[in-house]
Amino acid sequence: MKKIPETEAIFENVLKENQASDQNVNSLRISIDTKAKVKIGNLSRGGKSRTLEPKSADDHDTEWQAILVPFGILNTQSDQLSIYMGQSAETTDFIVDCLTDWWHNNQSDYTELEELVIDLDGGPAIRSDRTQFIKRIVELSQTIGLRIRLIYYPPYRAQV
């Protein structure tokens, strides 16, 4: 993989901002990510089974009942991982709804918090130029009364 100075500079800035958050007792850093969708149904799973007796599957994996979208929120201070499952596409609303639910379930642990720092990639639903995402993050910030800073990791391949 080709390294370019711009990408290295972004990684240096990410490290600096993450360290600043980690050293601030009034700041909490979390990392969020959506993982590959999981098809639910009588599928062959590539011939692999997690049971002693393999399950019979349909001859062709052409039909499934649902698609689950796993979304993870990692508390980088405690290494606590929360996983949410949705049945839609990876959307801005799904992601911010998960963040909102996570905050409501965990806010009592952070009564002195002033800032939430979120590490994220530049996926299509959460890009910094995605108006709906920024709008929802601002609304979340106003609702929970915390400053929210978004720390974007650079893409893994060089743009030439």
Side-chain angles (χ1 to χ4, degrees):
M1 189 173 307
K2 185 177 179 182
K3 290 184 179 182
I4 60 173
E6 293 83 358
T7 302
E8 292 303 309
I10 295 171
F11 273 118
E12 288 174 18
N13 188 57
V14 165
L15 178 62
K16 182 183 94 180
E17 294 298 325
N18 284 346
Q19 287 173 337
S21 173
D22 292 345
Q23 293 170 2
N24 181 350
V25 296
N26 297 323
S27 179
L28 173 66
R29 185 166 59 93
I30 62 174
S31 180
I32 65 172
D33 198 10
T34 303
K35 295 301 181 187
K37 297 174 180 83
V38 179
K39 295 176 182 173
I40 304 299
N42 196 30
L43 310 173
S44 70
R45 307 280 179 222
K48 297 177 183 167
S49 175
R50 290 192 173 112
T51 61
L52 293 175
E53 294 294 322
K55 307 272 185 201
S56 69
D58 295 336
D59 288 338
H60 302 285
D61 291 346
T62 58
E63 295 183 29
W64 47 87
Q65 286 74 45
I67 297 178
L68 294 180
V69 180
F71 176 74
I73 302 173
L74 175 67
N75 178 330
T76 62
Q77 291 177 348
S78 67
D79 291 333
Q80 178 184 1
L81 176 64
S82 300
I83 299 175
Y84 291 82
M85 296 287 190
Q87 286 192 321
S88 67
E90 173 190 358
T91 65
T92 291
D93 290 330
F94 167 65
I95 291 168
V96 178
D97 288 347
C98 291
L99 283 167
T100 302
D101 184 74
W102 178 86
W103 175 252
H104 289 307
N105 289 323
N106 292 279
Q107 68 183 6
S108 62
D109 296 335
Y110 305 104
T111 56
E112 302 299 318
L113 208 60
E114 297 173 0
E115 173 183 72
L116 184 62
V117 174
I118 304 174
D119 288 339
L120 63 168
D121 62 18
I126 56 175
R127 290 188 326 253
S128 62
D129 65 347
R130 181 135 175 112
T131 307
Q132 179 66 8
F133 179 67
I134 298 302
K135 174 184 178 283
R136 289 290 313 273
I137 286 292
V138 168
E139 290 171 351
L140 176 61
S141 174
Q142 292 168 341
T143 299
I144 67 176
L146 294 178
R147 178 177 53 248
I148 296 179
R149 288 193 308 128
L150 304 175
I151 308 294
Y152 283 93
Y153 278 88
Y156 290 103
R157 57 185 138 81
Q159 301 292 324
V160 183

